[in-house]
Amino acid sequence: MKNIRLIIAYDGTDFHGVQECLEAAIQKLVVEPVELWGSGRTDAGAHASRQVANFKTASPIPCANLLKALNDLLPPTVRVRDAREVPDGFHARYDARSKTYRYRVLEAPVCPPFIWRFVCHHPYPLDHARMAEAARLVEGEHDFTSFAASPAHVGEGDAEARNDDARSTVRTIFSSRLLWRPRTSLLIYEVRGSGFLHHMVRNIVGTLLEVGRGKLAPEDVLRIVEARDRTKAGPTAPARGLCLVKVEY
Amino acid sequence: MKNIRLIIAYDGTDFHGVQECLEAAIQKLVVEPVELWGSGRTDAGAHASRQVANFKTASPIPCANLLKALNDLLPPTVRVRDAREVPDGFHARYDARSKTYRYRVLEAPVCPPFIWRFVCHHPYPLDHARMAEAARLVEGEHDFTSFAASPAHVGEGDAEARNDDARSTVRTIFSSRLLWRPRTSLLIYEVRGSGFLHHMVRNIVGTLLEVGRGKLAPEDVLRIVEARDRTKAGPTAPARGLCLVKVEY
């Protein structure tokens, strides 16, 4: 049996079954049942530029051929960027040490039709300095209950809360920062952490937007974390702005 | 009566009636019949980042409000970027002095799911130097019959060949050049001319790709122009790589 690791990119806009679609394409090629392990599921409507997954197979198909054949079978909104054999023990989900997400906010009066699928459009100015200050305050090890999906949403099916550490709501954020790209009017929130609760990044962004609008002070973010109460944080930002950009092992 | 000029961007992928959709939205707001004049129609499946159009109306709605209200009514794949009052004599179609198109070829093994709608994917290396040399050869005033849509396609409905100068196949290309962007692996063909025959840019690109693959020599392009015979040129490149980026008056 070979252990194959895939790096996958997808546009999640109209697509709610990336994993199922990939499994079906792989099975068609290797002609045997296959279990595909992703590093974790992303929210419906969210994207990935470098999702990692692995599966085991007895198929003799070389990885380069597998990559081309998979991309021929998959829709253009799902692409395999890399396929290679890895040591037998590698597991895309259990071995993940950190994940990095980017959330893109377009701060411009009109959202170009070429990027609307991949940004949250905010037509009014935001206070970037205050948002950046607030973003740094979630760094470190915290109980992120306040930024977890409300209990009604936990069963939605794409919850990272179902991982082994499902019962714990403690996560470590290694870095949490805001980047402003004046040329494209994109405000990018980039967060790297040991793992994330369901909706956690989108709830942090929703709260940062409240800070940017002046409805919350930066230091309110600390108070919200300490409250361990979902109702204290801002609303969930739209999925379309969210993209998984890196998984480290 | 006011004469309103619009600057419009659209993703033409799934959308075959941008003009009709815009007219309907405008009529809903100004509550009177409106005739919208575009600078010319783009091919089905092609895009525009700065299409120009105008219409006359007796409506007192200020342009800034019109812009916001139109964007609220339109799908996210069609955006009005600017709306302003212009002198009564301005006509988006008859007054156009030049148009600039860009055609994007992605020269990479895998096409990212975030840009597939806007590029022609070419997974194998092309000879950029030869393509650039060939591109320059179409500059100047020529009879572009060889690069016009074959007669069977003229009736497709989005023909610039229906303009006033429909009977002439002579056009002037002011500049025709190739840009290579190594960071994104995008090969961009940019062409600015007095006007273009139906499918003309896509047929030039199809021919340049044949040069890039070594199937034609750069100087063959001159021979093809002189032949005034559509069957001599390369195939029509896919619409998705094409974007109208500028109209000058």
Side-chain angles (χ1 to χ4, degrees), chain A residues 105 107 122 124-129 131 187 208-209 211-213:
Chain A
V105 176
E107 195 187 297
H122 196 277
Y124 307 105
L126 293 159
D127 187 326
H128 303 174
M131 291 174 76
L187 186 65
L208 293 179
L209 288 171
V211 172
R213 290 175 191 124

Side-chain angles (χ1 to χ4, degrees), chain A residues 19-30:
Chain A
Q19 171 146 5
E20 290 71 17
C21 159
L22 271 161
E23 262 178 4
I26 294 166
Q27 284 175 177
K28 193 163 176 179
L29 293 173
V30 303

Side-chain angles (χ1 to χ4, degrees), chain A residues 22-195:
Chain A
L22 271 161
E23 262 178 4
I26 294 166
Q27 284 175 177
K28 193 163 176 179
L29 293 173
V30 303
V31 206
E32 61 181 359
V34 150
E35 194 165 16
L36 183 71
W37 292 93
S39 76
R41 297 194 182 190
T42 51
D43 295 354
H47 320 288
S49 61
R50 296 190 76 84
Q51 171 68 283
V52 179
N54 77 295
F55 66 95
K56 301 202 174 181
T57 180
S59 166
I61 306 176
C63 283
N65 302 25
L66 192 72
L67 183 144
K68 278 186 194 156
L70 278 175
N71 283 332
D72 283 345
L73 286 174
L74 292 164
T77 49
V78 181
R79 294 287 93 180
V80 178
R81 301 176 72 145
D82 187 72
R84 67 182 60 196
E85 198 175 342
V86 288
D88 190 63
F90 175 81
H91 194 290
R93 184 164 132 194
Y94 302 139
D95 294 351
R97 292 278 166 267
S98 82
K99 288 180 187 171
T100 304
Y101 284 93
R102 278 193 179 174
Y103 193 98
R104 288 177 181 81
V105 176
L106 179 77
E107 195 187 297
V110 178
C111 181
F114 317 111
I115 60 165
W116 76 273
R117 284 177 172 78
F118 311 111
V119 301
C120 162
H121 181 213
H122 196 277
Y124 307 105
L126 293 159
D127 187 326
H128 303 174
R130 287 163 64 92
M131 291 174 76
E133 193 186 332
R136 303 305 293 262
L137 295 177
V138 302
E139 291 183 349
E141 188 180 87
H142 301 284
D143 180 330
F144 282 103
T145 298
S146 293
F147 293 112
S150 47
H153 290 89
V154 170
E156 272 184 352
D158 48 2
E160 294 209 34
R162 287 189 189 170
N163 284 356
D164 285 351
D165 47 0
R167 269 153 264 159
S168 167
T169 46
V170 174
R171 295 289 186 279
T172 303
I173 300 295
F174 304 125
S175 85
S176 166
R177 60 195 189 128
L178 212 69
L179 311 158
W180 170 238
R181 302 271 162 83
R183 205 179 59 81
T184 51
S185 301
L186 284 174
L187 186 65
I188 300 170
Y189 173 62
E190 188 176 278
V191 61
R192 178 170 167 266
S194 61

